[in-house]
């Protein structure tokens, strides 16, 4: 590294402080994890049930997000319509909204006394404090990660391939399936992984809208919350599991979501 490109000490020191601030708490989980009895704690019936429910909820949340989020990302990237900016803001809003506020919003919109509560109840559908409610809470907070990631990728590809497919008689859905999505495959995979990981780690909206019912809505993050009051070593063990899952997702996404910026030559 030449002196010309050596970073100034006044920037390096606060940067190192920021890295340490982020790293030390995570190292604390690793250092304090009960490694000798880790497997036993993670395979306890209540923890195993919370893990199965978390995988179920996050899988359904990803499926729902893909079914409705991919078309929404395509519309935002490929078409112009009145209120497009407002729709994009609406998509981003759950990402910056406090999770408990998201849960309250779901209650006021889909709860028994919410905007659609009476209509849903007349159909025999009750969403709060149910597994379906936990799925919807996860979708609400995780789908924006898929939509934003995919919209950016769709906006960045040249439309000539889609136009060529259209001239050969391919309809919009066939073009989307055979041309557009393969072109943005890595970004779609990255957005799906981020969406799934966010759904797996969801806490605030779930406990507010779906409650903390063992076997029904008690996912792993909610189990950690309870274990902190009963068995802190078990809470650390489950936290370590979630930390490893999140780290694995981020490592798998390197070069896509976390890719370094390429410098132009010269």
């Amino acid at each position: 590294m030449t002196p010309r490109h050596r970073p100034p000490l006044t920037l390096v020191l606060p940067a190192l402080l920021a890295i340490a601030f982020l790293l030390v708490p995570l190292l604390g989980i690793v250092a304090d994890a009960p490694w000798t009895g880790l497997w036993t704690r993670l395979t306890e019936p209540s923890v195993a049930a919370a893990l199965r429910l978390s995988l179920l909820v996050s899988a359904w949340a990803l499926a729902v997000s893909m079914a409705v989020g991919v078309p929404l990302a395509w519309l935002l990237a490929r078409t112009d319509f009145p209120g497009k900016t407002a729709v994009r803001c609406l998509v981003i809003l759950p990402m910056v909204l406090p999770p408990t506020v998201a849960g309250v919003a779901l209650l006021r919109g889909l709860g028994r006394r919410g905007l659609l509560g009476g209509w849903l109840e007349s159909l025999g559908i009750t969403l709060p404090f149910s597994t379906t409610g936990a799925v919807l809470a996860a979708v609400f907070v995780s789908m924006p990660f898929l939509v934003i990631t995919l919209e950016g990728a769709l906006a960045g590809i040249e439309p000539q391939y889609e136009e060529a497919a259209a001239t050969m008689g391919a309809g919009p859905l066939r073009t989307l399936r055979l041309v557009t999505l393969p072109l943005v495959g890595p970004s779609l995979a990255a957005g799906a992984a981020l969406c799934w990981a966010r759904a797996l780690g969801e806490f605030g909206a779930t406990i507010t809208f779906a409650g903390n019912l063992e076997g029904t809505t008690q996912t792993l993050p909610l189990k950690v919350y309870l274990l902190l009051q009963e068995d802190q070593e078990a809470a650390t063990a489950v936290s370590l599991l979630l930390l490893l899952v999140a780290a694995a997702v981020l490592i798998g996404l390197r070069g896509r979501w976390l890719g370094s910026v390429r410098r132009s030559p010269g």
Side-chain angles (χ1 to χ4, degrees):
M1 181 181 293
T2 63
R4 178 170 171 264
H5 295 99
R6 186 175 298 141
L9 194 62
T10 52
L11 296 180
V12 171
L13 290 179
L16 292 175
L17 181 61
I19 293 173
F21 175 74
L22 296 172
L23 186 60
V24 168
L26 301 180
L27 290 178
I29 293 179
V30 177
D32 290 341
W35 292 100
T36 54
L38 184 64
W39 180 253
T40 302
R41 293 183 183 277
L42 292 179
T43 55
E44 289 182 0
S46 61
V47 175
L51 174 58
R52 286 193 297 270
L53 185 62
S54 288
L55 294 176
L56 176 68
V57 168
S58 59
W60 272 108
L62 175 59
V64 173
S65 297
M66 291 284 286
V68 299
V70 171
L72 177 56
W74 186 89
L75 286 175
L76 288 172
R78 281 285 187 261
T79 64
D80 291 318
F81 55 89
K84 180 177 177 178
T85 301
V87 172
R88 185 178 285 114
C89 291
L90 184 64
V91 171
I92 298 174
L93 188 59
M95 299 176 70
V96 299
L97 207 61
T100 50
V101 176
V104 172
L106 288 168
L107 278 174
R108 294 295 175 259
L110 303 175
R112 291 183 177 179
R113 298 182 180 179
L115 291 176
L116 300 181
W119 178 71
L120 291 172
E121 195 167 4
S122 67
L123 297 176
I125 301 174
T126 302
L127 297 177
F129 305 103
S130 66
T131 303
T132 303
V135 171
L136 292 180
V139 170
F140 188 79
V141 299
S142 64
M143 185 173 63
F145 289 88
L146 172 65
V147 175
I148 295 301
T149 304
L150 188 56
E151 183 198 352
L154 288 169
I157 65 174
E158 294 293 335
Q160 60 190 14
Y161 302 105
E162 297 167 308
E163 293 170 356
T167 59
M168 290 187 289
L173 292 180
R174 186 176 178 84
T175 301
L176 176 67
R177 180 169 57 88
L178 297 180
V179 178
T180 309
L181 291 183
L183 286 173
V184 295
S187 295
L188 177 61
L194 288 170
C195 175
W196 176 80
R198 180 64 184 88
L200 185 70
E202 167 49 30
F203 174 83
T206 302
I207 197 171
T208 306
F209 181 61
N212 191 5
L213 308 175
E214 186 173 352
T216 303
T217 64
Q218 188 180 95
T219 57
L220 271 183
L222 273 63
K223 184 63 178 177
V224 171
Y225 175 73
L226 283 184
L227 287 174
L228 280 172
Q229 306 171 44
E230 304 168 358
D231 186 347
Q232 293 199 1
E233 286 193 350
T236 304
V238 178
S239 298
L240 177 65
L241 175 61
L242 290 170
L243 173 61
L244 292 177
V245 170
V249 170
L250 292 177
I251 291 172
L253 294 180
R254 71 185 186 279
R256 293 181 181 138
W257 184 265
L258 303 175
S260 57
V261 178
R262 295 181 180 178
R263 293 183 176 88
S264 57

